[in-house]
Amino acid sequence: MSREDLKNERHDEMLRVYEERHIVNDSIQQITRPADDELGFLADDIADRIAKDMERLLSPISPNWDKADGSIATRTRSRIANTSTSGAATKHAASGSASLAQDVSNLAISHGKPAQIDAQLAADIGKIKKWTATNGNYQGSEKAMYDPIRSFIVYVARRVKAHLSLSGLSEKVRGECRLILPVEVTDYKLVDSDDSTRIDIGLVDTKYDTAIEMRGRASYYQLRGIFEVKTDKDDVVEAFVQLYKYSRQLFAEQHHLRFALGFTICAGDVRLCHFGPSKAVSSDPMDVATSKGRHAFIQLLVNMSLCDDSQLGRDPTMRYLPALNCWEIDCPDDKDDNGTSRADSSRYYFTKVICVADRLFGRHTRCFLATANRPAKKLKVDESLEATVVIKDAFAFAKPIASEDDRDEVKTLKKIRATFERGNPGSIIYAKIVVGGRVRFKRGSRIVEDTTSTMYTGVDAELLAKVSSDLLFRAHRRIVMDTIGEPLRTVKTAKEFVAVICDAMQCHYAIVDKCKILHRDISDNKILVVRMKDGTVRGLLIDFDCAIDLSKDKMEVRGEMTGTFPFMSLNNLTCSTVPRTSLDDWESVLYLLCWYATIGFGTGEDRSEVRARLKSLPIARWRNGTLDTIVDAKRSNLRSLENFYHDIVRRFDDRDKNSEQLGVFALRLYKALFANKLGKGYHGSEEKKVNPIMTALFNDQPPPTSVSADSTNVMGPFALRAEKWEDISKDLLGVINDIKMEMAGW
């Protein structure tokens, strides 16, 4: 696949995501309004002053803005005067801003000589005028817009700094404020980018009392937001598609990012975009060609300067420690069995990340190898901490009240551990929970649980229903486990891969059998490689976010989709009414085996080379395309043993010396699942006509007394297999056990 083809494919993929996930609701801007009332009123007042004086500078001959739009400032000062918690804000309002000359003087206090400030103001305003004079499309190149946009942001930052220094806030509170600044370099590829994309303008922050100067370059790790710029007002969709591409990498590089912020600018229209776990929400356009639009953009930048850090997406329970060159993370300890939130937490330290959140939407699962021992001195650049635990961090679907959450992974892992500790689980290894619970942090004067409701604080009821309803509600969970592993992609040979898969599925079978827990989300990120001291390789099944308790749910039909497309069972992909059973997880393992066997082991190829090699193979359709085309591809490939061999198995990568044995393994799993000993009605992936007499006999039920010619009904093999899932699972486990014994001769 050429670089251009790959670029077009990713563009089309992001366009589909945009069409499925995007919401427009102007109340999204309220998420940045400072949670502290005093700071909120102060932000309103500062924004009103900056907006008013920008109008004077842009239109010095007709300063009518105060009459037309000044009611906002008037209401703000009235609100401040009538609140009991507005001491600093009242002082700031009382200090006044009698004239532009006084404001320039105030700026000089922080920035140097008045003459320098006058020159800087003149330069900034001159550039801003070029942008704010836009009526319709921008008359110039896209790159010509960069400087005026950056000048607008810098102008606001200068004013915020001056007003904060005069605000009467305590030094502690001021120290928690920030200045929002653009990156000096524009239209560039970031150093930590995993592709060739170039962002238009990056946004960073700095402490409020530092010099106002743009950072030369910044990485995705350092950015607070990204601007995608277009000259045409009608290029909104294209701007968002580009922004979607970039913002994915913010999650990958910022391990403490809960949600991401981005901006599109199409000519004079500025839009804020918030990327949460399930949806992207953008504001209405703020048209900088109007005083109202300029004021709205200024208000947004001021809010971002004064709000709590968590309101910009960062997780305050995770901190990078430059003095030690490692991360510090607080892990909740919900000791109560009912999941009740407690204030207890344990502190860990890590340098190694084994799973990053490299997708724009979803649970944003991350895994860290950590230790409870704080480093005694600063670590070297290439030095890692000796880890004793693995920490999983994710925004999982949940119920608002923790004690009522029957899908709580913490409860699931506690049940598994308690069950296996009561009875010997044999030689299997499993994820043993140490501590875990919902993440909580301080916002203002309150301790809040980190959920989607917290994430969208301030938005209107209509939007909240779309992003945090019962079906979309998520809770931020963090779990510490005492078994250390590496990502599945680190296996070096086919033999290692099979050993890991066999271990994981022996554990899966035991957990279903002994604990009555069904995993329901087998994929490459859910199995870790554990390298033992004696050199052997084991497999560890993790991530029970989607698991159900069979002792409660009784294999209920659940019309929901969980997992990763290439590895999802057909029942899962189609949200079938067939009850989900362990056979769906075994089907996922078959897909996982085929995927890795096709990619190969230890080839040294990068992502683009693998994509190019897979592009022409039938298995590529398990990942690329629409949901319908993925379903059609899998149905076709699994229709019969012959189809499966011809389309998939014979195309396994043959560079590994055990590739032939890998093919035999895949065929045995297929036969046990899709061509099992129960009869033809249970075979394949297509619906077949099933005689009710045969159905009754297979289900150990008395056959009907008479059968008419038209009584033969259509029943898919998936439904029939679901009724015999325990028998088929035992056969699949037998395949695993046989392969493990045969591996000694590989």
Side-chain angles (χ1 to χ4, degrees):
M1 184 190 302
S2 69
R3 179 172 292 182
E4 189 63 28
D5 288 340
L6 185 59
K7 182 179 178 181
N8 291 336
E9 180 183 294
R10 289 177 177 171
H11 179 277
D12 292 343
E13 180 183 351
M14 284 297 104
L15 181 58
R16 286 196 298 270
V17 172
Y18 168 83
E19 292 169 346
E20 294 169 359
R21 302 270 190 170
H22 203 91
I23 299 171
V24 178
N25 186 299
D26 203 46
S27 72
I28 193 63
Q29 294 193 58
Q30 294 303 310
I31 64 164
T32 63
R33 177 175 171 78
D36 180 89
D37 285 342
E38 182 176 352
L39 287 177
F41 297 153
L42 181 61
D44 290 346
D45 192 58
I46 291 175
D48 289 342
R49 292 167 182 242
I50 296 174
K52 183 184 296 184
D53 289 323
M54 179 179 283
E55 297 310 308
R56 292 179 182 139
L57 289 165
L58 292 174
S59 305
I61 299 175
S62 303
N64 294 322
W65 180 86
D66 195 28
K67 295 178 181 178
D69 295 331
S71 57
I72 299 174
T74 303
R75 288 198 304 272
T76 299
R77 281 189 280 274
S78 173
R79 199 165 57 238
I80 292 171
N82 290 311
T83 181
S84 60
T85 60
S86 57
T90 303
K91 290 178 184 177
H92 186 255
S95 68
S97 183
S99 66
L100 179 59
Q102 179 62 45
D103 284 331
V104 172
S105 176
N106 290 343
L107 284 166
I109 294 173
S110 300
H111 296 284
K113 298 177 182 179
Q116 293 175 326
I117 296 304
D118 287 339
Q120 184 63 61
L121 280 173
D124 284 346
I125 291 299
K127 294 172 183 176
I128 292 169
K129 279 184 176 180
K130 294 179 181 179
W131 180 36
T132 57
T134 301
N135 187 8
N137 296 336
Y138 186 79
Q139 301 304 309
S141 68
E142 185 178 297
K143 289 185 178 181
M145 292 178 65
Y146 297 161
D147 214 19
I149 293 167
R150 290 183 304 160
S151 294
F152 191 108
I153 299 168
V154 170
Y155 173 83
V156 174
R158 292 185 188 281
R159 302 302 308 279
V160 168
K161 177 175 181 175
H163 284 298
L164 281 175
S165 66
L166 299 171
S167 65
L169 292 172
S170 69
E171 191 57 39
K172 180 179 182 299
V173 175
R174 278 204 300 263
E176 294 173 354
C177 298
R178 65 196 67 80
L179 301 178
I180 302 297
L181 292 167
V183 177
E184 184 173 9
V185 179
T186 57
D187 187 28
Y188 75 106
K189 179 181 180 293
L190 285 79
V191 294
D192 50 355
S193 174
D194 65 4
D195 58 29
S196 59
T197 54
R198 305 165 69 89
I199 69 168
D200 290 339
I201 301 174
L203 206 60
V204 295
D205 66 326
T206 186
K207 292 184 177 180
Y208 96 95
D209 57 353
T210 54
I212 302 284
E213 54 185 30
M214 290 185 284
R215 184 175 295 171
R217 282 182 177 268
S219 62
Y220 274 112
Y221 170 74
Q222 296 165 321
L223 293 183
R224 279 304 179 101
I226 298 170
F227 282 90
E228 175 61 22
V229 180
K230 301 291 181 185
T231 60
D232 193 321
K233 277 183 175 285
D234 294 331
D235 275 348
V236 179
V237 173
E238 182 61 27
F240 277 123
V241 168
Q242 295 294 334
L243 189 62
Y244 276 40
K245 293 181 187 177
Y246 311 142
S247 298
R248 173 188 65 82
Q249 297 198 58
L250 292 173
F251 288 106
E253 298 301 327
Q254 298 185 31
H255 309 313
H256 53 346
L257 193 65
R258 301 158 47 247
F259 61 82
L261 297 178
F263 305 83
T264 62
I265 298 181
C266 298
D269 290 345
V270 181
R271 292 173 175 85
L272 169 69
C273 191
H274 174 284
F275 295 98
S278 300
K279 301 289 183 180
V281 185
S282 66
S283 67
D284 293 334
M286 296 168 268
D287 186 357
V288 297
T290 68
S291 59
K292 182 179 179 181
R294 290 189 287 272
H295 184 277
F297 188 29
I298 290 168
Q299 181 76 62
L300 177 60
L301 293 171
V302 175
N303 283 348
M304 291 177 67
S305 301
L306 272 65
C307 70
D308 188 88
D309 206 38
S310 66
Q311 293 179 262
L312 298 182
R314 295 270 172 91
D315 180 354
T317 66
M318 287 181 64
R319 301 158 293 276
Y320 182 72
L321 306 178
L324 296 176
N325 200 24
C326 71
W327 286 84
E328 181 179 69
I329 180 170
D330 299 329
C331 297
D333 186 5
D334 292 351
K335 295 178 181 177
D336 297 337
D337 290 337
N338 65 3
T340 301
S341 294
R342 296 162 58 95
D344 300 339
S345 66
S346 304
R347 187 159 290 177
Y348 293 86
Y349 302 87
F350 71 89
T351 53
K352 190 170 184 179
V353 183
I354 61 172
C355 177
V356 298
D358 59 354
R359 296 180 183 177
L360 190 55
F361 300 107
R363 289 178 292 165
H364 293 145
T365 302
R366 301 171 171 101
C367 290
F368 316 113
L369 298 184
T371 176
N373 299 319
R374 182 184 174 95
K377 59 181 181 179
K378 186 172 184 176
L379 301 172
K380 297 177 182 178
V381 174
D382 57 348
E383 187 178 2
S384 297
L385 290 169
E386 185 175 346
T388 57
V389 297
V390 60
I391 300 174
K392 178 196 166 187
D393 185 89
F395 269 90
F397 287 119
K399 290 184 178 179
I401 301 174
S403 60
E404 299 176 357
D405 191 359
D406 56 357
R407 299 291 182 86
D408 187 343
E409 186 180 11
V410 175
K411 296 178 187 176
T412 298
L413 291 177
K414 285 182 177 179
K415 180 179 180 180
I416 292 171
R417 180 164 189 166
T419 302
F420 285 158
E421 285 179 346
R422 285 195 301 269
N424 182 12
S427 62
I428 69 170
I429 61 173
Y430 63 95
K432 297 179 182 178
I433 185 171
V434 179
V435 296
R438 295 190 179 189
V439 173
R440 298 171 293 278
F441 55 78
K442 189 174 182 180
R443 175 177 286 177
S445 59
R446 299 187 304 120
I447 299 294
V448 298
E449 274 192 355
D450 195 13
T451 65
T452 43
S453 293
T454 304
M455 185 182 295
Y456 291 99
T457 298
V459 304
D460 63 28
E462 178 186 356
L463 176 56
L464 192 62
K466 293 179 179 178
V467 296
S468 190
S469 63
D470 288 345
L471 292 177
L472 295 176
F473 185 87
R474 293 178 186 258
H476 187 183
R477 292 198 198 107
R478 192 167 289 155
I479 299 171
V480 181
M481 295 165 285
D482 69 358
T483 306
I484 302 297
E486 302 172 350
L488 187 58
R489 64 177 180 274
T490 62
V491 294
K492 300 171 184 176
T493 64
K495 186 175 180 178
E496 280 192 358
F497 177 80
V498 172
V500 169
I501 292 298
C502 287
D503 268 353
M505 292 313 291
Q506 283 180 324
C507 178
H508 178 278
Y509 185 90
I511 289 174
V512 172
D513 185 46
K514 305 295 184 184
C515 310
K516 308 305 177 188
I517 298 293
L518 180 61
H519 190 282
R520 300 196 322 143
D521 188 18
I522 301 292
S523 73
D524 56 344
N525 287 329
K526 311 305 162 66
I527 298 174
L528 294 183
V529 180
V530 181
R531 299 191 179 276
M532 313 301 286
K533 291 182 179 179
D534 63 1
T536 58
V537 176
R538 305 293 304 274
L540 177 68
L541 182 63
I542 63 166
D543 198 349
F544 287 78
D545 267 340
C546 299
I548 58 172
D549 189 333
L550 299 178
S551 64
K552 297 178 181 178
D553 288 325
K554 302 292 184 185
M555 294 293 188
E556 290 179 8
V557 176
R558 292 181 179 269
E560 59 183 321
M561 186 184 295
T562 58
T564 307
F565 276 179
F567 314 122
M568 289 167 63
S569 71
L570 282 165
N571 274 345
N572 196 355
L573 282 169
T574 58
C575 291
S576 169
T577 57
V578 175
R580 295 278 293 281
T581 72
S582 65
L583 299 186
D584 291 279
D585 286 353
W586 283 101
E587 186 180 333
S588 293
V589 167
L590 179 61
Y591 297 145
L592 186 61
L593 167 61
C594 294
W595 191 264
Y596 270 74
T598 305
I599 291 174
F601 307 95
T603 63
E605 294 175 310
D606 62 25
R607 267 171 129 182
S608 61
E609 291 173 317
V610 171
R611 277 177 175 260
R613 187 158 55 83
L614 294 184
K615 178 69 175 178
S616 60
L617 300 181
I619 201 170
R621 295 178 62 204
W622 292 4
R623 178 170 188 162
N624 303 321
T626 65
L627 179 61
D628 288 341
T629 61
I630 291 173
V631 169
D632 289 344
K634 286 189 173 183
R635 283 199 189 280
S636 175
N637 301 150
L638 299 171
R639 182 177 293 118
S640 66
L641 187 64
E642 292 75 17
N643 281 49
F644 181 61
Y645 173 76
H646 182 272
D647 293 348
I648 305 298
V649 175
R650 75 181 184 91
R651 302 169 193 270
F652 283 0
D653 183 77
D654 60 3
R655 285 173 285 185
D656 190 280
K657 66 179 182 179
N658 295 122
S659 61
E660 186 175 337
Q661 288 93 328
L662 211 56
V664 171
F665 184 24
L667 290 170
R668 286 184 184 176
L669 284 177
Y670 178 91
K671 287 184 69 176
L673 182 55
F674 288 97
N676 54 70
K677 62 187 180 183
L678 295 175
K680 290 186 177 181
Y682 293 77
H683 292 182
S685 57
E686 301 289 344
E687 291 185 341
K688 299 177 176 67
K689 288 189 175 182
V690 179
N691 188 294
I693 296 178
M694 297 302 296
T695 301
L697 291 174
F698 276 125
N699 291 329
D700 297 322
Q701 297 172 349
T705 55
S706 62
V707 179
S708 62
D710 60 351
S711 65
T712 300
N713 55 25
V714 175
M715 188 172 186
F718 293 97
L720 289 173
R721 288 194 291 261
E723 295 172 353
K724 294 288 185 179
W725 69 270
E726 291 173 291
D727 293 336
I728 298 174
S729 294
K730 287 178 182 177
D731 292 340
L732 288 161
L733 180 66
V735 173
I736 292 289
N737 293 335
D738 291 344
I739 288 291
K740 285 194 76 170
M741 288 191 290
E742 294 170 12
M743 281 175 58
W746 285 20

